[in-house]
Amino acid sequence: MTVIEAVAARQILDSRGNPTVEVDVRLADGSLGRAAVPSGASTGAAEAIELRDGDPKRFHGKGVATAVANATGPLADAVRGLDAEDQAAVDAALIDCDGTPNKSRLGANAILGISLATAKAAAAAKGVPLYRFLRRDTEPRLPRPMINIVNGGAHADNPLDFQEFMISPVGAPTFFEAVRMGSEIFHTLRRSLAAAGHNTNVGDEGGFAPQFTTADEALTFVLEAITASGYEPGTDVAICLDPAASEFFKGGAYDYAGEGVSRSVEEHVAYLSGLLRRYPIVSIEDPMAQDDLAGWKLLTDREGATTQLVGDDVFCTDAARLRAGIDDGYANAILIKVNQVGTLTETLSTVDTARRAGYRVVMSHRSGETEDTTIADLAVATGCGQIKTGSVSRSDRTAKYNRLIRIEEELNLPFGRI
Ligand code: 2PG
Ligand code: MG
């Protein structure tokens, strides 16, 4: 009854107004699974390939009609007749059908759409929520959110060099309370930005994008918003950063264009250490560029014992790349993005690799998102303990928070910590 009978796909819009792939998988018993594929802006060099049509007359070249045709053509042929409950076999068939190491022939967007829709169809057939269907051998947990309240880098058109300034309500007793605290701080920040004459427009992930030029400026406002909301920085609410450093690593140095300063690898590490001393920062993602492994090692040796250092571009959710980090001792955590690797099975295997090595795991959205909430269920099912899903504004972001609020209501699960 859980045999895959039909695959449909279409182009829909993502949160930036660009087309993306949505897939419907229908099973023999009539169960339907539907998944929409996210899309990044500050993509890692080793990510699985998102197939775009490149036809300048349609969607300025960003159309995904070819990926949709691949999903309903060769990829559908490869999975039709397979059991949706055997995710590993379905994903292996998709990978085989594509035949390239980076899913470039048929598109990781086409492949991921089928992979995720298959899991959702199987969960529907069993009549259980996705987080329960995907449950691993570890204990499920509600993830602690990293809430992005200031956007810069590739996600905003301000001069801020760092991409994301996030708050994590480390003292919140439940997921809902974490969201409440995040929302209060977000609105307090809006008022203080307006009072200081800054604009309160938001960037791609729903955080504010004022004309800040330095991280210190952003951090000062964030810290003040935490305090003015009645919370103790560091105890109730900590700060997390994603500089997305690959974006401004040029010619062997870190080029802070907004600030108008270039820092050598050593100076950049010293600068980050300085921020760690001055602010209650508990986690930094992509502090170093994906191809600056010496820098990664330097920072990990210096700060890794006390600060969570999350590899995004450097690992690209790929188990082999993560293995290199574990063996060589750089980073101590990994960001997990389903579309960086392109199937659910590979995603879960990377999570397992991280966990076995004692690396922490953060489930993550992309800057281009949809109303699809799969990552919320994935975070609970893997019990990874942390999620990064943007600001507490814009429905593409709040859909994930709201999904987690409902899951928390359904279950009485333990809450993750950084
Ligand atoms: C990141 C992500 C998500 P993008 O760098 O971590 O915040 O951004 O999807 O643009 O790669
Ligand atoms: Mg990142």
Side-chain angles (χ1 to χ4, degrees):
M1 293 308 274
T2 50
V3 162
I4 297 176
E5 204 168 73
V7 176
R10 64 190 66 84
Q11 300 188 80
I12 62 165
L13 293 180
D14 74 11
S15 54
R16 274 193 279 252
N18 291 323
T20 190
V21 177
E22 181 175 80
V23 173
D24 294 352
V25 165
R26 195 170 288 282
L27 308 185
D29 71 351
S31 301
L32 172 73
R34 171 172 291 163
V37 177
S39 174
S42 61
T43 47
E47 292 193 18
I49 300 300
E50 174 187 77
L51 202 61
R52 297 270 176 199
D53 299 335
D55 173 359
K57 291 207 201 67
R58 298 181 70 86
F59 289 117
H60 300 281
K62 289 185 189 285
V64 289
T66 318
V68 164
N70 291 342
T72 53
L75 292 166
D77 292 344
V79 300
R80 209 175 292 113
L82 297 182
D83 184 353
E85 280 199 64
D86 191 351
Q87 185 78 41
V90 170
D91 288 342
L94 294 169
I95 291 165
D96 266 15
C97 179
D98 173 78
T100 66
N102 58 1
K103 303 181 176 65
S104 56
R105 194 173 79 84
L106 300 175
N109 40 356
I111 291 171
L112 180 67
I114 297 184
S115 181
L116 296 180
T118 297
K120 290 178 160 194
K126 297 200 100 168
V128 296
L130 187 62
Y131 65 84
R132 199 185 298 278
F133 177 73
L134 293 176
R135 190 184 163 159
R136 314 291 285 162
D137 38 16
T138 46
E139 190 194 6
R141 271 195 294 175
L142 261 304
R144 194 164 295 270
M146 294 177 176
I147 302 168
N148 181 355
I149 57 173
V150 177
N151 291 189
H155 296 168
D157 57 8
N158 59 12
L160 197 52
D161 298 301
F162 285 7
Q163 183 176 280
E164 297 166 33
F165 295 79
M166 298 171 282
I167 47 171
S168 184
V170 289
T174 63
F175 184 81
F176 180 79
E177 287 299 282
V179 169
R180 177 182 62 79
M181 291 160 75
S183 164
E184 290 167 6
I185 295 164
F186 176 76
H187 289 287
T188 305
L189 178 59
R190 181 201 298 273
R191 277 196 296 277
S192 63
L193 287 171
H198 284 290
N199 80 64
T200 55
N201 304 332
V202 297
D204 284 357
E205 299 190 341
F208 299 113
Q211 292 298 110
F212 290 153
T213 52
T214 67
D216 273 292
E217 219 178 334
L219 286 164
T220 303
F221 269 91
V222 168
L223 202 58
E224 273 172 20
I226 295 171
T227 313
S229 303
Y231 298 113
E232 187 63 46
T235 315
D236 297 325
V237 181
I239 296 174
C240 305
L241 299 178
D242 178 5
S246 306
E247 297 289 312
F248 58 98
F249 186 58
K250 303 206 169 97
Y254 290 88
D255 179 22
Y256 287 63
E259 203 177 315
V261 177
S262 177
R263 295 186 170 94
S264 69
V265 172
E266 175 62 47
E267 286 166 346
H268 174 69
V269 167
Y271 174 73
L272 292 175
S273 291
L275 292 180
L276 287 171
R277 303 288 94 79
R278 293 203 301 284
Y279 302 98
I281 297 167
V282 292
S283 177
I284 312 183
E285 176 190 326
D286 279 4
M288 312 303 292
Q290 58 200 342
D291 45 2
D292 180 16
L293 298 184
W296 260 108
K297 181 93 180 89
L298 184 65
L299 182 72
T300 307
D301 289 345
R302 205 169 285 178
E303 306 292 352
T306 49
T307 305
Q308 176 170 280
L309 301 172
V310 187
D312 172 10
D313 289 355
V314 73
F315 295 144
C316 283
T317 314
D318 178 83
R321 295 179 69 85
L322 170 61
R323 192 75 256 163
I326 293 164
D327 291 345
D328 295 347
Y330 51 87
N332 54 28
I334 181 171
L335 197 78
I336 297 289
K337 293 165 163 170
V338 282
N339 79 325
Q340 274 184 330
V341 65
T343 64
L344 185 55
T345 303
E346 289 164 290
T347 302
L348 294 173
S349 136
T350 304
V351 170
D352 288 343
T353 302
R355 182 168 281 133
R356 278 197 299 274
Y359 272 44
R360 278 164 278 174
V361 173
V362 184
M363 201 56 64
S364 174
H365 66 161
R366 298 306 306 245
S367 50
E369 270 292 336
T370 68
E371 61 272 33
D372 187 292
T373 57
T374 305
I375 61 162
D377 285 67
L378 257 180
V380 174
T382 58
C384 68
Q386 300 179 57
I387 193 168
K388 175 174 105 155
T389 189
S391 178
V392 284
S393 80
R394 305 296 157 185
S395 299
D396 39 303
R397 313 297 145 183
T398 56
K400 280 73 163 176
Y401 290 110
N402 292 343
R403 170 76 182 141
L404 287 162
I405 287 171
R406 292 183 203 110
I407 295 177
E408 185 167 65
E409 190 185 277
E410 270 171 48
L411 303 165
N412 199 6
L413 287 179
F415 191 36
R417 4 202 100 257
I418 293 177

